[in-house]
Amino acid sequence: MNIRIVVALAAVLMACLPWTGMSAQTESNRKERRCISEGNSLYNDGRYRAAMAKYQEALKMNPNSAAGRYNLGLSQIRLGTNPSDTSQAAKDMLKEGLTQMELVSKMGSERPQLAARANYNLGNVAFDSEDYENALNFYKQSLRLNPDDASAKRNLRITQLKLQDKNKDKNKDKDQDKNQDQNKNQNKDQNQNKPQNQNQDQNQDNKQDKRQQPDINQQTADQILKAMENKENQTRARVNAGNQGDKSSGGNRSRKNW
């Protein structure tokens, strides 16, 4: 799914060609038009830096040239997103290109078709940066200006799916964090109870130690039993003597059996 998305977007981005449509009313300067035309040829040949110079020349002649600004921004974005160039200069180039494209994207009332394409390109850059929220907004604005743009519709749908996946991942991460917090609390409670459990174990160990103490030897046991038997015999003798006295006197005392 991800590979297909990247390929589709890359193909769409490659389809973003320089703007060639010019109105005689807004682009009357013949030299300006020639610079833009020459810049477009260079752009199509992949010579983005040379094309950029031509568009800058056109803007010097006419600072209000929407086509010149759009094409300049497109060339700068190309140079700034070159995978083989990760320098700060490339990042600055991309930033400048996005600034130019944003200016054109706000020309909806004057140049709706060109503004739609500017929003579309801004959406592609945001998508490639995984800034799906902004990409979604750019595609929506592009479709407001040009509702029939099939590429913008497709990319809008792809972005919506990516956002759904992203939200699922966020919820999943939140659930994992919540479970980890619960586990931490459980471990904390267990640690709090640990001293008590240790004391219980120590008490059990003491009980086991008492049970495991050596028994009294047989000789000592016999002596104790003999003494108890002698004491019981003496007690019985006293009781019997008392009973005999009761019978001779006719007494009727209640007594307990031994």
Side-chain angles (χ1 to χ4, degrees):
M1 178 66 180
N2 291 336
I3 294 177
R4 291 199 297 271
I5 290 173
V6 172
V7 172
L9 285 175
V12 170
L13 187 58
M14 288 294 292
C16 295
L17 300 177
W19 186 259
T20 58
M22 297 183 185
S23 171
Q25 294 178 349
T26 58
E27 305 290 345
S28 58
N29 191 305
R30 183 176 299 179
K31 190 173 181 181
E32 173 196 344
R33 293 174 61 182
R34 185 172 66 250
C35 287
I36 291 176
S37 178
E38 291 174 356
N40 291 350
S41 297
L42 292 168
Y43 180 95
N44 291 332
D45 290 339
R47 301 171 62 185
Y48 305 124
R49 196 171 295 276
M52 183 179 68
K54 286 293 182 181
Y55 299 138
Q56 289 173 332
E57 188 176 345
L59 283 171
K60 287 180 181 178
M61 299 171 188
N62 180 13
N64 296 322
S65 173
R69 192 169 301 282
Y70 172 89
N71 292 347
L72 173 62
L74 195 61
S75 300
Q76 291 171 327
I77 289 173
R78 283 291 194 178
L79 291 169
T81 56
N82 184 356
S84 62
D85 188 358
T86 58
S87 64
Q88 184 60 44
K91 295 178 181 178
D92 293 340
M93 183 71 72
L94 174 60
K95 183 177 180 180
E96 180 61 27
L98 293 175
T99 299
Q100 299 292 345
M101 200 63 66
E102 287 172 357
L103 291 173
V104 179
S105 70
K106 298 175 182 178
M107 298 180 180
S109 59
E110 306 168 21
R111 305 292 294 275
Q113 293 297 319
L114 192 59
R117 293 182 67 174
N119 278 284
Y120 175 82
N121 290 333
L122 290 170
N124 287 345
V125 175
F127 185 95
D128 289 340
S129 301
E130 297 185 1
D131 185 3
Y132 303 124
E133 289 83 359
N134 278 330
L136 189 70
N137 292 330
F138 283 128
Y139 291 138
K140 286 181 178 178
Q141 182 60 24
S142 178
L143 287 170
R144 291 189 187 100
L145 297 169
N146 183 15
D148 298 328
D149 190 337
S151 297
K153 290 179 181 179
R154 182 184 62 210
N155 287 6
L156 175 67
R157 180 54 181 160
I158 292 172
T159 305
Q160 289 173 333
L161 294 175
K162 293 295 291 185
L163 277 173
Q164 290 177 4
D165 292 339
K166 185 177 180 180
N167 291 332
K168 287 180 182 179
D169 292 339
K170 282 184 178 179
N171 293 333
K172 185 177 179 180
D173 292 339
K174 288 181 180 179
D175 292 339
Q176 289 178 348
D177 292 340
K178 184 177 181 180
N179 292 334
Q180 289 177 356
D181 291 340
Q182 290 177 347
N183 291 335
K184 288 180 181 179
N185 292 333
Q186 290 177 355
N187 292 334
K188 184 177 179 181
D189 294 340
Q190 290 175 356
N191 291 333
Q192 289 176 348
N193 294 330
K194 190 173 182 180
Q196 181 179 358
N197 294 337
Q198 287 180 339
N199 293 334
Q200 292 175 353
D201 293 339
Q202 291 176 356
N203 293 334
Q204 291 176 355
D205 291 340
N206 292 335
K207 291 178 181 178
Q208 290 176 354
D209 291 341
K210 291 179 180 179
R211 289 197 301 267
Q212 292 173 358
Q213 290 177 353
D215 295 335
I216 299 174
N217 59 49
Q218 188 62 40
Q219 183 179 359
T220 304
D222 292 341
Q223 291 176 354
I224 294 174
L225 290 175
K226 186 66 175 177
M228 290 178 65
E229 289 177 358
N230 292 336
K231 187 174 181 180
E232 289 176 358
N233 290 334
Q234 291 174 2
T235 303
R236 284 194 182 94
R238 287 197 300 270
V239 171
N240 289 334
N243 290 339
Q244 291 294 331
D246 291 339
K247 289 179 180 179
S248 61
S249 61
N252 189 19
R253 294 181 183 177
S254 62
R255 57 187 184 274
K256 294 180 181 180
N257 293 330
W258 181 255

